[in-house]
Amino acid sequence: MFTINDASKRTNLPVKTIRYYDEVGLVSATGRTPAGYRLYDDRSCQKLGFVQRARQFNFSIEECRELLSLYEDHGRPSREVKKITLSKLELLQRQLDDLTTLTLELKTLANQCTGDDRPDCPILNAFSAPPVKTAS
Amino acid sequence: MFTINDASKRTNLPVKTIRYYDEVGLVSATGRTPAGYRLYDDRSCQKLGFVQRARQFNFSIEECRELLSLYEDHGRPSREVKKITLSKLELLQRQLDDLTTLTLELKTLANQCTGDDRPDCPILNAFSAPPVKTAS
DNA sequence: ATAAAGCCTCCAGTAACAGGAGGGTCAACC
DNA sequence: GGTTGACCCTCCTGTTACTGGAGGCTTTAT
């Protein structure tokens, strides 16, 4: 059995985060000492590590909860996991596209801006008027 | 002078959001009717539109506040605006890189997963063990 | 006159924690 | 046996940028 600090070191998760996961019932502590200290065993440390990696893949807490229950259920079909993953991928792709467009547009604006002492600024000009919508 | 609803239509911002911008002092209402209804003039509508577009470019409220004050100050050097924009671009680029890596990794995992009735799932396997770190 | 639409304020909730106050616990050292 | 220092606990607040809703006026249209 490990203290929360040990579990933290094993999983690279901050102590605060582990407490939070316990609180929201994502990964509960295995038990408590008489003094009320949280205790974690190998299995729960493994689950914490699982969540840590899934979180790095941008899965939300709720999605982690779902993945965790599939992870726990050894008879589950891989179809379900793949479904969750694919819908997450779709979301990521959309975010990626948005961010790419954004970056390009902003780069263009920054390039057009002289960045000197003069007050004329294409960036502010672009922000002060609607883009495409031509007022007639 | 426009009601908050008119301002909303002119700027494509939800009424709630306009109220929020007033509350946090980003774009204050020009005045109030005797009954307490917010009023907006052309100028404040323009500022709302400015913020709306800057927000689309992922500028935070605080950054919008800064840009807005530069926008209002007609003697400001474009250097300052460019500085803010470039640092924002840097952040965007980092987000973009992270998201790209993430998407690629997740895609690889999804491709390896059969997604059928069998319980074996490379996605969960990848999450249940540390990635590169080879235990020896 | 009344109903619908619009406006107001205030409160709660969102995601996923982080920081800090205030206080108990444990191990080691002198 | 006392005391430091490292840990642990709970509870509260703050973060970002809003959104939704309750409860209650005001305005507009019929």
Side-chain angles (χ1 to χ4, degrees), chain B residues 47-90:
Chain B
K47 285 201 256 176
L48 284 172
F50 180 94
V51 169
Q52 189 256 345
R53 283 178 290 276
R55 289 281 304 131
Q56 284 188 346
F57 277 94
N58 255 17
F59 285 95
S60 71
I61 297 293
E62 287 316 306
E63 285 167 331
C64 285
R65 206 186 289 278
E66 222 174 326
L67 287 174
L68 212 47
S69 81
L70 292 172
Y71 172 58
E72 297 254 73
D73 170 13
H74 287 277
R76 90 280 149 170
S78 66
R79 192 192 310 114
E80 305 209 29
V81 182
K82 187 159 189 176
K83 208 181 81 190
I84 298 177
T85 305
L86 286 181
S87 82
K88 172 56 67 180
L89 259 174
E90 219 173 292

Side-chain angles (χ1 to χ4, degrees), chain A:
Chain A
M1 296 293 242
F2 313 106
T3 65
I4 199 169
N5 200 16
D6 294 339
S8 164
K9 278 166 190 154
R10 288 178 148 241
T11 58
N12 289 321
L13 284 172
V15 167
K16 276 267 185 189
T17 302
I18 299 181
R19 261 192 220 114
Y20 175 73
Y21 289 165
D22 183 25
E23 193 189 319
V24 300
L26 180 60
V27 179
S28 302
T30 316
R32 298 271 183 148
T33 69
Y37 287 20
R38 283 175 185 80
L39 289 173
Y40 291 88
D41 60 8
D42 277 320
R43 182 102 193 97
S44 46
C45 281
Q46 206 177 353
K47 285 200 257 177
L48 285 172
F50 180 94
V51 170
Q52 188 257 345
R53 285 178 288 278
R55 290 281 304 133
Q56 284 188 345
F57 278 94
N58 255 16
F59 286 94
S60 71
I61 297 293
E62 287 315 307
E63 286 166 331
C64 285
R65 207 186 288 277
E66 222 174 325
L67 287 174
L68 212 47
S69 80
L70 291 172
Y71 172 60
E72 297 254 74
D73 172 12
H74 287 276
R76 90 278 153 172
S78 66
R79 191 192 311 113
E80 305 209 28
V81 182
K82 187 158 189 175
K83 208 181 81 191
I84 299 176
T85 305
L86 285 181
S87 82
K88 171 56 69 177
L89 259 175
E90 218 174 294
L91 183 68
L92 281 177
Q93 194 60 57
R94 237 175 303 140
Q95 286 179 5
L96 204 55
D97 292 346
D98 286 354
L99 222 50
T100 304
T101 307
L102 208 59
T103 305
L104 280 180
E105 289 177 337
L106 208 53
K107 258 183 194 159
T108 306
L109 285 179
N111 281 340
Q112 286 169 5
C113 178
T114 55
D116 56 19
D117 288 323
R118 288 172 297 173
D120 183 57
C121 178
I123 299 170
L124 292 187
N125 290 346
F127 286 178
S128 62
V132 188
K133 203 183 284 174
T134 39
S136 56

